[in-house]
Every structure is written in C-alpha cells, then in structure tokens.
Amino acid sequence: MTAGDPKVTLELAQSHGLTAEEYDRIIRRLSREPTFTELGLFSALWSEHCAYKHSRVFLRALPTRAAHVLQGPGENAGIVDLGGDLALTFKIESHNHPSFIEPFQGAATGVGGILRDIFTMGARPIAVLDSLRFGDPADPRTRRLIEGVVAGIGWYGNCFGVPNLGGEVGFAPEYAGNPLVNAMAVGLVSKRGIFRARAEGVGNPVFYVGAKTGRDGIHGATMASSTFDETAEERRPTVQVGDPFTEKLLLEACLEAMATGAIVGIQDMGAAGLACACSEMPARAGMGMEIEASRVPQRETGMTPYEIMLSESQERMLLVAARGREDDVRRTFAKWDLDAVEIGTVTDDGLLRVRFHGAVVAEVPVKALADEAPVYEKTTARPEWQDALADFDPLSLATGSDASAALLDLLASPGIASKEWVYRQYDQQVGINSLVLPGSDAGVLRIKGTRTGIAVTTDCNARFVYLDPRVGAAMAVAEAARNLSVSGARPLGLTDCLNFGSPERPEILWQFKEAVAGISEACRALEIPVVGGNVSFYNETLGQAVLPTPVVGMAGMLDDVEARCTQWFAEEGDRIALLGPDTVSLGGSEWLWARHRRVAGRLAPLDLAVERAVQEACRAAIGARLLGSAHDCAEGGLAVTLAEACVTGPRRLGAEVALGPARGPADLILFGEGPSRVLVSVKVARAQHFEQLMKEFRVTWRFIGRVGGDRLRIRTDEGSLVDLELDRISGAWRGGFERHVS
C-alpha cells in the first residue's frame, strides 16, 4: 500500500463494480485482502468491457477459422491473407458511453483507439468507417450529439491522415439516451511483419512509449460496463482526451521500431490502460512482468500507482524489446519526439509485480487478471411481447394511395436520406487510393502498385434484430456480404460490434444469444470467418435499452479493382434486372416506421443458400464486365433502390420499370423489404451473356425495365404506381437528412 490509500473493504469493491461473490473470489485467489492498487486492477480486468463475463459462453459458437485467416479473435485485430506477402488487418469497436458523456472527445478517441489496434499488429491503417445510432434528430439534444460525434470522428481521422470510406447512420427513439458510436479501421501489413501482443523472453526490457499519462479515462472500462442514469454527465472525467498528431507520430515510430527487429511484442494501452497491457501481454506468453510505476512518464503531479495503472490516457503503447536493443528503441522514438522509457522486465514467475519507488504495491498472478474472470451462464428468457409484435400485420395499414408521395417521404426520412452532411466532414481521399467513396454500397480502395482492391462496409438493421434477433442478425451478415458482392468484392472476413442493453436482464441476454446464433449460422453458410470484434453491453439509460444492434463490419477483396461496380445507373439504354426472390415483407420496414411510426410484423424469410447463390452470380457478372451498376435492395424496398440508382451517381439517369402482374398491394410491391435481392443494370450488348450466367448460377431473376429519361416510372400490368421527375427525387433524398440536423 501507499500512504493515503483507502482500506479495501467489500463496500469499496462494490463501488468499483465488483460483486460480493467476485470480491470473495479475489480474496481466495490471493489468500489475502487485495491492496488498493490490486483492487483497481481486478475491477478493470474483470469488468464486462474487458472480461466478456456474460458473452463469452455464447461467442464460442462463432466460426473463426479458415485457410486464409492468419489471426482470429484474441489479439488487437484480426488478419486475413491477401495473397503474396500482403495481409489485411481490421477491427471494429464501440465508444458508446464516452460519446454520450462527451460527444466530441468520446467519438474522437474511439477512432484513435481502433487505429492503434491496427498499427499495433504492424499494419499501416488505410481506411476507417463508422456505424452510428442516435435518437430523434428533431430533438435538440440529439442534434448536439450528432454534431459532436461527427465532428470528433472527422477531426481525429482527418488530422491523423486516414480516409473515411463509409459507414451508416441510423435513428430510433431507443437511442436517445444512449447513442451508439462504433468505429472500424482497416490496415495493410506484410505477412513477415505481423506483431502480436506477447511479452516473451525472460529479462527482456519493457518499454512505455508515446504520450504521457494523465488522470483522464480512469475507470473508463468500468464505466463502459454500467448503465446510465441522470448522473451520467458527472462521469465526464472518465472520458479520454485525444491527440491525433501525437498518434500519427506514434504510428511512424512504432512501424520504424518494428522494422529494426528490436521489438518482441507490443500492445496498445486502451481499455484499462497499463493494467490491461501489463497483464494480458505476459499471460498470452505464459510469463510474468515486473514494472516500476514511478518511471511512467506523467503529465500531472502527484499521481498514485492506482491512477497510473488505471489511466486510459491516449496515444500510448507498451512494448517488449529484445535485450541489448534498448538504445535502438530509445533512438527511434526520440527521432519522433516521443517518450520511450524502460519501466520493467519480463519475468518467468507468472506474476504482475508493480513497484512504486521500489515498494511493491501490487503482486498478482497475470492469469488471475487476464484469464480467470468469472464466466456467467445466466438465465435467458424470450420476451412476452415478441409474439404480439410478430402477429401484427402491416398490410392492415397499407392503402396504396399516392405511392409517389410515399416514396418521397421515405427518401427524405433520416434513415434513408443522403448522409453527405456527415461524410463531407471526413477526408475521403487522403492517400489517393480511394476509388469508391461514401455514398455507394461499399467503400473501395486500391492497393498501391497492384491490381487488387479492398472493399469495406458496416451494416445492421436493428429493427429486424428487435423483431427476430436470430434472423435479423443473420440478415445483417448477409447484407454486409451483399454490399461487398455488389461492389465486385469477395468477402474475406467479419468483425462485429455487438451493442445490447444490460445482460443482467434475461430478455436482453436472450436477444444476445439469438443474435450470436444468427451471425454464426450466416457466417457458416456464406463461409465468412469472424476474425475479431467487440461486445458492448449496458447500453441503456433509466431502464431504456437500445435496440439490439449487432453491427457487422466486413472486408473483401477484388482481384481486379478495375472491375469494381457502383450502385448508380451508368448508361442510357441499359436493361434493369432484379436478382433474387420476390418474397418481401413490410414487417420492420422503413415504410412502416416512416409512414406509421411502428416497429412490428414478421420478417421476410431468409434462405442462406439463395443468398449465397445471388451473391456469387452478382460477383461473376461484375467480373465478366456485364453490368453498369449493382445495388443491394434493402431499406425502403425496390422503389427506394430504384430511386437511389437514378440520383446518387455523378449524373442523373431515369428509369422505365414494368413489373408485370401485381404481386400484392402496391405498398408491399414498392416498399416491402427482404433479403437476397439485388438490382442491376445490364449492358445491352452483354444481355445474352448475362442471361446465360444467371442460368448457370440457378438464381431467380427477371428483367424489369430500362435506364433512361428524366423520370422514374414504375408500373404493373394493372397501372402506374410511381411517376416522378428526378429533380423531385433528388431534392427529397439529398436534403432530407440535412433538414433534420441543420
């Protein structure tokens, strides 16, 4: 103990987020009462945020292996093989709670943290994406959150110098008190230059590198493992403060030091800071670590070992160097004007030993901290209201009157309207490799010096997951893969950010269990491995949980980036085809919410074999240069998909669409949503080849119209459904979101 440390009691442990049972478990493991610093270590490492106490039992079902997976879950980021010497590393994480408390810095440091996860692996970041959820944008408080979050994301990424290539923004009342801010990053690494967070080699020196440690972010991990109440604003000191310029220096210094061969292992000091890095690194290697906390560079005076170990100050790394290469490490980081201080050594006793001015203030088995947190298998319960939601028939509200007006309403709704107001604040082209910018189904960038391209996306329809967690989560996987496929890319791997309410509520844990099962089923059917991710529980305020939102981030590869495809019509006269089944539903649809403010009904069925065949057929058609465009038919149904294809590109092109015999009410035909559907435009000269290809893949498809003119017309054999000038369509879509936030 140090002078001034409080006496450790059960009450103090509980104030740190530990239960009585967990505190008793700690005492038994140590055979004594913990010191104050040790209590801090356990509270952070055993938090839900770090230990996955409630989720681990379900996550085991996810498929994580494939021949091309070089690193799966368990490291800072996943890695997949791109062929040759190149590999792709990517990861998505949440920064929900900090962004609610302090929107600008919360979102900014979320970007900073995910970037460090990427270059900790030895990779250079090449892109970031984000997935955001807010309450009603008409609410001034929500507008403040949107403005702060978007500004924070833009500031950090722009200053660091990495392009933002896409993402999504969603809205629902359930996010009003708990927005979701998920950030994804992607990087390139040589397979010979992959680094891992392992403390190996007895006697090897342990270095602290990067920015100095302050008091910001203390208890950030435990804060992220609790729900909010009316006192949330008081937690502002738990939010970290970012410095993207320092992070850029840290990136260059780390990559340069790695190239020298002086680095054995390295880990970002993110959640739980030094406490986490000093525990997890030796635990992975079956080693121990001893550090002198007083040597840690500090930007504030009088910091205690407890504060030093738990601080989540940004732009810091812990690395293990090869003994004898200490001067190489110091020299490299000095070149970039960064601290590089030797604070400890790797040991063989399996203990984390923390000294402060020579006195031992913590001595804990690293396995106890990193691997022995309790794993709970708690009761799950399907909510009683689930059946009532499923039994509601949205067609009881369908009138079919003035479908053109309904289409304009949907296009102007904040969930569908153009998000240009958001992404124009982000640098999209730094690095000059960006080929498809935000605004299409997926972002695409080239790998410099090759013909290879990378496509990236984030996706989740939370309404679907709310109505049917298993099917809705599987649909999120399918849609992410579809967005890559319509861009011409073959999906390589998945990273997920699973945002839910409190796992201590049986109905929330049931949603989580079902969603994980759905993700697993879809990944196995589509042969897409899960290479990493994040679980974010306790997303609720005053008992109001967010909609279950398992965000799927996915990366894919184009063998020839020149074969990429975008969602907008490209040429007058191209034939329009619809791939996939006609089975759709208004359950959980954008139409039902935008027009009637309801979330209810049954989802359209998902056949994963059909999904796979449609995606394979689409990729084959793109690779054969048969298509002018390809667009996932998702939120808003066929009518919205057609409208987007008309007006989202560099020039507006109308369409004449004839759907044949009416297959239900007009609202269902136009706005019904369902999986496995893709709208494509086929080059006239290649139509016969396209027909043959579709036959080979045995997918359901049909020609439905032609590109051309200055209007969108949609009709059935029974008459006209939609007839709108492109100016009106574009005006509704382009101005809809901005009208809500400006």
Side-chain angles (χ1 to χ4, degrees):
M1 285 185 65
T2 59
D5 282 352
K7 177 177 173 56
V8 176
T9 63
L10 172 60
E11 291 73 22
L12 185 63
Q14 290 174 324
S15 72
H16 279 63
L18 294 165
T19 67
E21 292 77 15
E22 289 168 348
Y23 182 58
D24 181 66
R25 185 169 178 165
I26 292 167
I27 293 173
R28 286 187 281 111
R29 183 66 172 88
L30 299 178
S31 300
R32 56 176 173 80
E33 296 275 356
T35 67
F36 185 52
T37 300
E38 290 170 342
L39 179 67
L41 297 177
F42 275 106
S43 72
L45 272 297
W46 282 21
S47 68
E48 184 66 44
H49 187 74
C50 292
Y52 289 12
K53 295 183 289 189
H54 292 87
S55 61
R56 193 174 294 184
V57 65
F58 303 113
L59 298 176
R60 295 166 183 160
L62 296 173
T64 60
R65 298 183 178 182
H68 64 283
V69 174
L70 303 179
Q71 177 63 59
E75 272 286 345
N76 288 291
I79 305 178
V80 294
D81 193 346
L82 294 176
D85 185 46
L86 283 179
L88 193 73
T89 179
F90 54 100
K91 176 77 174 297
I92 190 170
E93 282 197 341
S94 63
H95 232 222
N96 304 335
H97 285 47
S99 299
F100 176 69
I101 296 170
E102 212 306 301
F104 183 92
Q105 285 293 348
T109 52
V111 174
I114 200 66
L115 286 169
R116 290 194 300 279
D117 283 339
I118 297 303
F119 67 80
T120 299
M121 304 298 295
R124 181 171 292 277
I126 58 173
V128 293
L129 303 88
D130 47 79
S131 178
L132 313 176
R133 300 291 189 282
F134 301 101
D136 184 354
D139 185 332
R141 187 180 186 188
T142 296
R143 290 200 298 271
R144 181 185 68 83
L145 286 170
I146 295 171
E147 291 166 0
V149 165
V150 171
I153 291 170
W155 172 72
Y156 205 103
N158 295 353
C159 293
F160 181 85
V162 63
N164 191 309
L165 282 191
E168 54 176 355
V169 186
F171 303 91
E174 291 81 0
Y175 302 113
N178 200 126
L180 302 184
V181 178
N182 296 178
M184 177 177 170
V186 185
L188 279 177
V189 62
S190 163
K191 284 187 279 191
R192 296 169 294 171
I194 295 172
F195 281 79
R196 292 178 170 84
R198 296 173 63 87
E200 298 179 312
V202 176
N204 277 339
V206 177
F207 277 83
Y208 172 113
V209 301
K212 290 179 169 56
T213 292
R215 290 188 170 94
D216 55 316
I218 294 173
H219 289 305
T222 49
M223 179 270 292
S225 305
S226 60
T227 59
F228 281 154
D229 55 27
E230 63 275 356
T231 66
E233 294 290 331
E234 299 174 7
R235 306 189 190 191
R236 198 173 292 272
T238 64
V239 179
Q240 310 92 333
V241 178
D243 180 354
F245 301 103
T246 298
E247 178 124 328
K248 176 63 173 175
L249 298 177
L250 185 62
L251 160 72
E252 301 298 343
C254 285
L255 294 184
E256 187 172 318
M258 291 169 174
T260 68
I263 308 301
V264 174
I266 183 169
Q267 178 156 324
D268 163 41
M269 280 188 262
L274 266 170
C276 182
C278 291
S279 306
E280 291 184 347
M281 287 187 73
R284 291 190 184 104
M287 306 299 285
M289 185 177 289
E290 180 167 320
I291 67 166
E292 172 54 65
S294 64
R295 295 180 191 167
V296 171
Q298 300 159 50
R299 66 169 185 259
E300 299 184 47
T301 60
M303 291 190 71
T304 66
Y306 175 99
E307 293 172 325
I308 292 167
M309 295 301 296
L310 293 184
S311 168
E312 295 183 13
S313 294
Q314 298 290 284
E315 295 85 38
R316 308 178 300 157
M317 297 279 191
L318 191 74
L319 63 85
V320 175
R323 187 163 46 180
R325 302 294 302 274
E326 293 89 346
D327 287 344
D328 294 333
V329 173
R330 295 187 186 99
R331 192 179 305 112
T332 299
F333 283 87
K335 171 186 171 180
W336 295 97
D337 198 26
L338 293 171
D339 284 317
V341 179
E342 187 177 344
I343 65 168
T345 58
V346 178
T347 66
D348 62 357
D349 60 8
L351 298 175
L352 170 60
R353 187 174 297 105
V354 181
R355 296 183 182 272
F356 191 62
H357 298 296
V360 176
V361 294
E363 190 172 82
V364 182
V366 294
K367 292 287 187 182
L369 293 169
D371 299 329
E372 295 177 9
V375 176
Y376 296 121
E377 297 187 41
K378 292 193 173 181
T379 301
T380 66
R382 187 175 185 269
E384 294 180 359
W385 42 258
Q386 206 78 37
D387 287 335
L389 288 178
D391 289 341
F392 176 77
D393 182 9
L395 288 175
S396 65
L397 303 176
T399 65
S401 62
D402 202 351
S404 293
L407 175 56
L408 293 174
D409 282 350
L410 262 65
L411 290 169
S413 67
I416 288 179
S418 169
K419 306 304 186 300
E420 187 178 357
W421 180 89
V422 174
Y423 59 71
R424 73 186 178 200
Q425 300 184 51
Y426 306 154
D427 193 330
Q428 304 152 34
Q429 295 182 305
V430 60
I432 65 171
N433 293 312
S434 306
L435 297 176
V436 179
L437 307 180
S440 194
D441 288 293
V444 178
L445 70 165
R446 72 164 62 87
I447 298 177
K448 192 174 294 183
T450 75
R451 297 182 66 87
T452 304
I454 301 297
V456 288
T457 187
T458 61
D459 288 285
C460 180
N461 188 322
R463 289 194 295 263
F464 286 1
V465 185
Y466 176 70
L467 294 175
D468 189 330
R470 184 179 293 239
V471 175
M475 283 183 173
V477 175
E479 184 175 358
R482 202 180 315 126
N483 282 332
L484 298 186
S485 293
V486 299
S487 304
R490 181 178 73 257
L492 292 176
L494 176 156
T495 177
D496 52 35
C497 194
L498 308 178
N499 306 274
F500 290 78
S502 171
E504 296 167 40
R505 294 165 59 184
E507 68 275 18
I508 299 293
L509 200 59
W510 175 82
Q511 291 175 333
F512 182 85
K513 178 189 72 172
E514 289 293 294
V516 171
I519 292 170
S520 179
E521 290 170 8
C523 286
R524 294 181 191 281
L526 302 177
E527 296 188 18
I528 303 172
V530 179
V531 299
N534 172 237
V535 176
S536 178
F537 278 137
Y538 298 99
N539 290 291
E540 57 182 76
T541 298
L542 297 174
Q544 174 61 67
V546 300
L547 295 179
T549 313
V551 174
V552 171
M554 199 174 290
M557 184 173 74
L558 297 88
D559 294 323
D560 184 357
V561 76
E562 296 304 318
R564 65 188 182 277
C565 208
T566 49
Q567 70 181 38
W568 44 82
F569 294 143
E571 293 292 338
E572 294 260 3
D574 283 355
R575 301 186 71 180
I576 303 170
L578 181 62
L579 280 59
D582 287 318
T583 306
V584 294
S585 170
L586 290 171
S589 66
E590 187 70 27
W591 173 88
L592 187 59
W593 175 252
R595 300 280 287 180
H596 301 284
R597 290 295 187 267
R598 295 287 297 267
V599 179
R602 295 185 186 275
L603 307 181
L606 170 63
D607 186 324
L608 289 166
V610 171
E611 181 72 50
R612 179 168 177 165
V614 168
Q615 293 191 30
E616 290 175 345
C618 187
R619 292 198 300 268
I622 294 170
R625 307 300 207 277
L626 308 182
L627 305 184
S629 67
H631 189 13
D632 168 34
C633 189
E635 286 88 346
L638 179 60
V640 167
T641 304
L642 283 162
E644 290 175 339
C646 289
V647 302
T648 58
R651 62 180 179 131
R652 300 172 191 171
L653 287 170
E656 295 280 346
V657 177
L659 299 176
R663 307 182 185 203
D667 290 321
L668 180 66
I669 295 169
L670 293 171
F671 309 117
E673 299 175 16
S676 317
R677 306 173 82 219
V678 174
L679 184 79
V680 302
S681 59
V682 183
K683 299 174 183 178
V684 174
R686 310 303 303 277
Q688 189 173 354
H689 188 175
F690 174 81
E691 293 182 45
Q692 182 59 40
L693 192 64
M694 296 301 104
K695 187 181 296 184
E696 291 175 11
F697 281 92
R698 300 181 178 180
V699 299
T700 300
W701 74 279
R702 55 186 170 125
F703 284 123
I704 62 171
R706 287 189 182 271
V707 176
D710 59 0
R711 305 181 72 88
L712 171 62
R713 293 188 176 99
I714 309 173
R715 61 181 174 86
T716 65
D717 288 353
E718 286 72 25
S720 175
L721 299 180
V722 171
D723 188 352
L724 285 168
E725 297 175 345
L726 296 188
D727 284 349
R728 294 188 68 190
I729 290 174
S730 181
W733 179 77
R734 293 193 179 280
F737 179 75
E738 198 160 348
R739 282 195 293 271
H740 286 281
V741 296
S742 61

